[in-house]
Amino acid sequence: MMTNRISALKFPVALMAVFAFIGCGSTPKKHTESVVKAKPNIIFIYADDLGYGDLGVYGATGIKTPNIDKLANGGIVFTSGYATSATCTPSRYGLLTGTYPWRNSDAKILPGTAPLLIDTEQMTIPKMLRAEGYDTGIVGKWHLGLGTGDVDWNKHISPGPNEVGFDYSFIMAATQDRVPTVYIRDGKVVGLDPKDPIQVDYKKNFAGEPTATENPELLKMKWHHGHNQSIVNGIPRIGYMKGGTAAKWKDEDMADTFLDDAKKYIGSHKSKPFFLYYALQQPHVPRTPSPRFVGASGLGPRGDVIVEADWCVGELMKKLEAEGLLENTLIVLSSDNGPVLNDGYYDDAVEKLGTHRPAGALRGGKYSLFDGGTRVPFVTYWKGQIKPGTSDAIVCQMDLLASLASMVGSKETKLSDSQNLMNELLGKGTVGRKALVLEANAKTLLRKGDWIMIPPYKGASKMNTEVNIEMGPDNDYQLYNTRKDIGQQNNVAKQFPDKLKEMKETFEKLRGSDYQNVQELKLQ
């Protein structure tokens, strides 16, 4: 019988969540020496906008996720697992590079035409692993830019994933709601007809091309905000696109397409160690489940694509088992940021939510400085090597680089902000990261121990009314004890001046005292 790992814990830990992905934390050298060097296969399963409360193992009762729950119940469920940012591009940058995204002024949500965000000279997880004899592949969402800023989509597209460490890549350039709406394999658009070249522009439309504002009769999905430009498959997108008709994806087939490619990658690379970054597109908008999953959740398309993603994880696990690879594969599952319901389309995500709480007991969600923005499901699994359990250690996706480098015996020293938490990820330690700077919308905060401090951001919006999520900024310092107040309802900054002073000093040491000026420059 599948157990709810989180519900077995005492409050407030009982309300915390787990998802598979390696975490962040600082540990003394002597603490890490006990980790046995090994070179297992490594798979990252990275969901898109999946919340802390969206999985059964994290306490969800309104939606069923049996396959992910099974994976989590066989591994370590982290109750304080973090992405680096409350939005996608910065989190993916931090994950692959081991670097705080706020160090890169361009690390923000990118359009589909943005140049490659990761410097080709920069150390990355796939680059480090490839040097240790791994085959490396990415299947799914990229959203870290391509080319140098003026991409010709009809020729070989470079630089991209293949230039930052991946031997193989099968991706979409940005997000499902952004053009170009095509798959790209190793730098080439799949299925492109040379007689129907692709053109993409994020500033102006192409003559004669329909848009959501001018041709609402062509829509099968209604836009709410920000998604009113080119129409592809009856769905309005961000950005303008012309041509490439034969290469355009079918949205309802996307989950199957990426899953099939991931399974083929596993089957064709089982003879030597491999690293697979399997980046799911669910439950990001537009939510377009396969007809097989329509109505599966009772919560509308958002719930249905979570059920679909859960099925994909189950199928991937079946493939590993069939190939005899489960005992030699470390799996990390997590999400790039917290949840959002209405993120640009009318799709019943709000109307059919019922009692389901995507962020669980956390406050905020995607885009937010509150914990619901960056605290996400985080799970590690390795059959026969990881003893099932729950961990309260603070871990972060940014620390995967240093942790994996330690595990495989890499001598690489360019690990940036990444810290070795391999013991924690394997369930052999509970120290975790002592302090962690988190980011949302070009603003930063500090998690240290049981405490969260949000510095003042004068004049900043407290509520994003389009997505109906509390953003978190205030004119005064905010201090919360997340163990006693997981929902961040009680600002105790005035009651604990000594703790606030300590948090401020740690934050300024890590972030710099000019954080507000830096953030303002980043927004320009």
Side-chain angles (χ1 to χ4, degrees), residues 89-90 93 104 106-108 110 115-119 122 144-146:
T89 296
Y93 177 83
N104 186 335
D106 293 323
K108 50 193 173 185
L110 297 178
L116 180 64
L117 180 62
I118 300 173
D119 192 296
Q122 198 167 356
L144 287 166
L146 295 169

Side-chain angles (χ1 to χ4, degrees), residues 456-470:
Y457 290 99
K458 299 183 184 299
S461 175
K462 296 183 179 181
M463 173 69 72
N464 184 325
T465 56
E466 288 184 332
V467 298
N468 196 32
I469 290 177
E470 291 182 283

Side-chain angles (χ1 to χ4, degrees), residues 84-85 87 90 100-108 369 437-446 454-458 460 473 507 510-524:
T84 57
S85 175
T87 53
Y100 278 124
W102 45 263
R103 296 194 189 281
N104 186 335
S105 62
D106 293 323
K108 50 193 173 185
L369 282 167
V437 177
L438 299 163
E439 178 191 58
N441 294 304
K443 297 176 178 62
T444 46
L445 68 144
L446 178 70
I454 303 175
Y457 290 99
K458 299 183 184 299
F507 179 74
L510 295 175
R511 182 66 183 86
S513 59
D514 61 341
Y515 67 92
Q516 286 181 313
N517 291 331
V518 172
Q519 303 295 11
E520 289 170 1
L521 287 172
K522 185 174 179 180
L523 288 173
Q524 292 179 0

Side-chain angles (χ1 to χ4, degrees), residues 472-507:
D474 203 342
N475 292 331
D476 298 314
Y477 278 95
Q478 298 176 70
L479 182 67
Y480 301 97
N481 186 310
T482 186
R483 183 168 293 275
K484 296 180 179 179
D485 178 24
I486 191 173
Q488 294 179 282
Q489 296 300 309
N490 303 304
N491 179 5
V492 295
K494 294 182 179 179
Q495 290 94 311
F496 295 92
D498 290 342
K499 175 57 69 172
L500 178 61
K501 179 182 178 182
E502 173 196 328
M503 297 289 283
K504 289 167 64 176
E505 290 174 349
T506 300
F507 179 74

Side-chain angles (χ1 to χ4, degrees), residues 45-111:
I45 303 174
Y46 208 41
D48 197 352
D49 294 355
L50 190 73
Y52 192 75
D54 273 329
L55 302 176
V57 73
Y58 278 104
T61 58
I63 192 168
K64 305 298 181 184
T65 54
N67 295 296
I68 294 176
D69 293 349
K70 181 179 179 181
L71 174 73
N73 280 305
I76 303 295
V77 172
F78 290 91
T79 60
S80 289
Y82 284 90
T84 57
S85 175
T87 53
C88 48
T89 296
S91 287
R92 291 162 197 273
Y93 177 83
L95 164 69
L96 291 179
T97 68
T99 302
Y100 278 124
W102 45 263
R103 296 194 189 281
N104 186 335
S105 62
D106 293 323
K108 50 193 173 185
I109 301 175
L110 297 178

Side-chain angles (χ1 to χ4, degrees), residues 9 16 47 107 194 229 256 313 325 338-339 369:
L9 304 177
M16 298 180 178
Q229 296 173 334
D256 286 338
V313 171
L325 298 175
L369 282 167

